[in-house]
Amino acid sequence: MAFWSSATVPPYKVSQRVLFAFTLSLSLTYVCYTLMSCYTSIRFPLHDAGYLSQSRAEQRAEEAAEERATSPRLGVRVETVSPAGPPGEAAGSTGGWRAASPPQLYTVQNWLERDIQESSTPDFGVQRLPQAIIIGVKKGGTRALLEAIRVHPDVRAVGVEPHFFDRHYDKGLEWYRSLMPKTLDGQLTMEKTPSYFVTREAPKRIFSMAKGTKLVVVVRNPVTRAISDYTQTLSKKPEIPTFEVLAFKNRTLGLIDASWSAIRIGIYALHLENWLQFFPLSQIHFVSGERLIIDPAGEMGKVQDFLGLKRIVTDKHFYFNKTKGFPCLKKPEDSSLPRCLGKSKGRTHPKIDPDVIHRLRKFYRPFNVMFRQITGEDFDWEKDENEEIS
């Protein structure tokens, strides 16, 4: 009581002590609040709070974009958070793929859940050698197939072509394994390198790795494929001779130059015989490059069946892009653009002399018949001999 007694302490001293006690009380309150906040942030992580600061959200968005650029998953996912407070996911959002919608707002918990399910997560899973490989063919539609199958949550695939079994075999299987994405139990590891199909050593090397490996081959009308192949080369080397010059050893005699890679790749039956020395036909699935454009969902359904996957990639994942002339994957709800293949796909082919096209069709016809007899599948390449290549 002496502390507060006005009889023993002058009035100005009393007011000083009251002010000191009030200041001390505020300080203790602040310390307690700080300690409680620290405990809360340790006990309840940030994602339970349901929001990020704007600066941290932007940082996470940049990290996500960089990761998706090199990730074996499909597309680029950019997360945005409103600076006004904890955002909620837009009404009607299902986390699927749609043709058009504004960027969505996601809580941190939603972001983490999606990341675990759909993205490359370095802290989970193990790197495994691929159980399935897209082995060919160049300019047949392998990139479109890879991008579509990567939508499936049970598939993880390398985004770039490893070229292990044709160029880097001397580096060993452990080097090859190190290129693979991490997968969880039940997920399928895949890669695609179209040049494997025409590499003589590739079948034996893949068989030595795992004789049960499932193989996928995307084939396309060999004449159209050859012109597409040439078109790609022309875009990089505009000084090369015309298609007509390169396609013939002697045009006057009509002798096709089968040593030119653009022509040689399309002799599918001969390349397939090399693979059948090591793998049964039941382990090889053939995808029609034409049907992959006309009916992508139908072709993807067959691929998923072959790989032993549930049919998750369906027609709801595709829309036809009239400008490009082929199907594109519908964009994620949180992305501003649909996922279409790049400028290197869907190039306009140069005008080719119809006589050259006729001679090429005649050249490929017996090989196409042989290929149909071996595979038991009719790809309808001869349905319209007079159709103009475009």
Side-chain angles (χ1 to χ4, degrees), residues 289-302:
E290 287 82 10
R291 289 196 290 266
L292 194 58
I293 295 175
I294 298 171
D295 181 22
E299 285 300 290
M300 290 309 303
K302 297 174 186 177

Side-chain angles (χ1 to χ4, degrees), residues 2 41 83-84 127-128 176 195 207 222 224 229 266 284 286 299 369 388:
S41 56
Q127 290 174 299
R128 297 179 174 89
Y176 184 48
S195 55
F207 182 83
T224 311
D229 197 337
I284 308 176
F286 300 93
E299 285 300 290
V369 171
E388 181 180 1

Side-chain angles (χ1 to χ4, degrees), residues 274-292:
N274 189 32
W275 289 88
L276 293 178
Q277 294 179 31
F278 297 90
F279 294 93
L281 197 59
S282 60
Q283 268 178 245
I284 308 176
H285 179 70
F286 300 93
V287 176
S288 167
E290 287 82 10
R291 289 196 290 266
L292 194 58

Side-chain angles (χ1 to χ4, degrees), residues 223 227 244 248 251 351-361 385-389:
V223 179
I227 297 174
E244 290 85 348
F248 291 94
R251 185 172 178 180
K351 188 72 174 180
I352 306 297
D353 186 340
D355 179 65
V356 174
I357 295 176
H358 173 73
R359 288 176 182 269
L360 281 175
R361 284 173 169 166
E385 285 292 308
N386 297 317
E387 180 182 358
E388 181 180 1
I389 299 295

Side-chain angles (χ1 to χ4, degrees), residues 100-383:
S101 63
Q104 303 295 320
L105 300 178
Y106 293 99
T107 64
V108 179
Q109 186 170 357
N110 289 337
W111 191 93
L112 291 174
E113 289 173 353
R114 290 173 186 272
D115 207 43
I116 290 174
Q117 293 175 4
E118 298 184 4
S119 73
S120 175
T121 311
D123 295 332
F124 296 94
V126 297
Q127 290 174 299
R128 297 179 174 89
L129 293 171
Q131 298 92 42
I133 304 176
I134 301 172
I135 60 173
V137 297
K138 180 184 179 184
K139 305 308 295 180
T142 58
R143 173 56 62 179
L145 174 62
L146 180 71
E147 294 297 340
I149 198 63
R150 286 163 74 183
V151 174
H152 202 293
D154 291 336
V155 173
R156 302 300 310 284
V158 183
V160 297
E161 297 174 4
H163 283 281
F164 175 65
F165 295 105
D166 59 348
R167 301 179 187 173
H168 305 297
Y169 193 64
D170 59 330
K171 294 184 179 180
L173 283 174
E174 287 309 308
W175 177 86
Y176 184 48
R177 188 198 304 270
S178 71
L179 304 179
M180 298 299 121
K182 291 185 177 181
T183 55
L184 302 174
D185 290 342
Q187 288 184 315
L188 186 72
T189 302
M190 291 187 68
E191 71 116 316
K192 79 107 176 168
T193 304
S195 55
Y196 289 163
F197 188 65
V198 298
T199 301
R200 187 157 191 83
E201 300 81 12
K204 182 177 180 180
R205 290 172 175 177
I206 295 177
F207 182 83
S208 298
M209 176 190 71
K211 62 182 180 181
T213 304
K214 293 184 176 182
L215 309 172
V216 180
V217 185
V218 188
V219 291
R220 182 182 182 187
N221 185 312
V223 179
T224 311
R225 197 222 66 81
I227 297 174
S228 180
D229 197 337
Y230 171 79
T231 303
Q232 182 182 56
T233 304
L234 183 65
S235 68
K236 300 174 183 178
K237 301 178 180 180
E239 73 282 359
I240 63 173
T242 64
F243 181 88
E244 290 85 348
V245 170
L246 293 173
F248 291 94
K249 285 184 177 181
N250 187 317
R251 185 172 178 180
T252 303
L253 298 177
L255 298 178
I256 302 295
D257 188 359
S259 66
W260 183 32
S261 63
I263 300 294
R264 188 180 68 254
I265 291 173
I267 309 175
Y268 304 138
L270 297 184
H271 302 303
L272 180 58
E273 287 182 346
N274 189 32
W275 289 88
L276 293 178
Q277 294 179 31
F278 297 90
F279 294 93
L281 197 59
S282 60
Q283 268 178 245
I284 308 176
H285 179 70
F286 300 93
V287 176
S288 167
E290 287 82 10
R291 289 196 290 266
L292 194 58
I293 295 175
I294 298 171
D295 181 22
E299 285 300 290
M300 290 309 303
K302 297 174 186 177
V303 171
Q304 291 170 94
D305 291 345
F306 172 72
L307 296 176
L309 301 170
K310 182 179 179 181
R311 286 197 176 194
I312 290 179
V313 184
T314 61
D315 54 1
K316 70 181 180 181
H317 293 94
F318 301 94
Y319 80 98
F320 190 81
N321 186 306
K322 294 181 180 180
T323 302
K324 287 182 171 291
F326 53 75
C328 294
L329 288 162
K330 292 181 180 178
K331 73 182 184 69
E333 292 181 1
D334 52 347
S335 174
S336 59
L337 295 172
R339 179 67 176 95
C340 273
L341 299 181
K343 295 180 180 179
S344 64
K345 309 300 180 182
R347 295 186 182 96
T348 300
H349 292 173
K351 188 72 174 180
I352 306 297
D353 186 340
D355 179 65
V356 174
I357 295 176
H358 173 73
R359 288 176 182 269
L360 281 175
R361 284 173 169 166
K362 185 176 180 180
F363 168 79
Y364 279 121
R365 190 172 296 119
F367 299 111
N368 292 344
V369 171
M370 187 185 307
F371 187 65
R372 182 170 64 245
Q373 290 174 343
I374 295 173
T375 62
E377 298 187 34
D378 188 354
F379 297 96
D380 294 327
W381 294 328
E382 311 299 333
K383 65 180 180 179

Side-chain angles (χ1 to χ4, degrees), residues 2-20:
F3 180 82
W4 301 102
S5 175
S6 60
T8 59
V9 181
Y12 75 93
K13 289 288 186 180
V14 173
S15 61
Q16 287 179 344
R17 291 178 180 180
V18 170
L19 180 61
F20 173 78

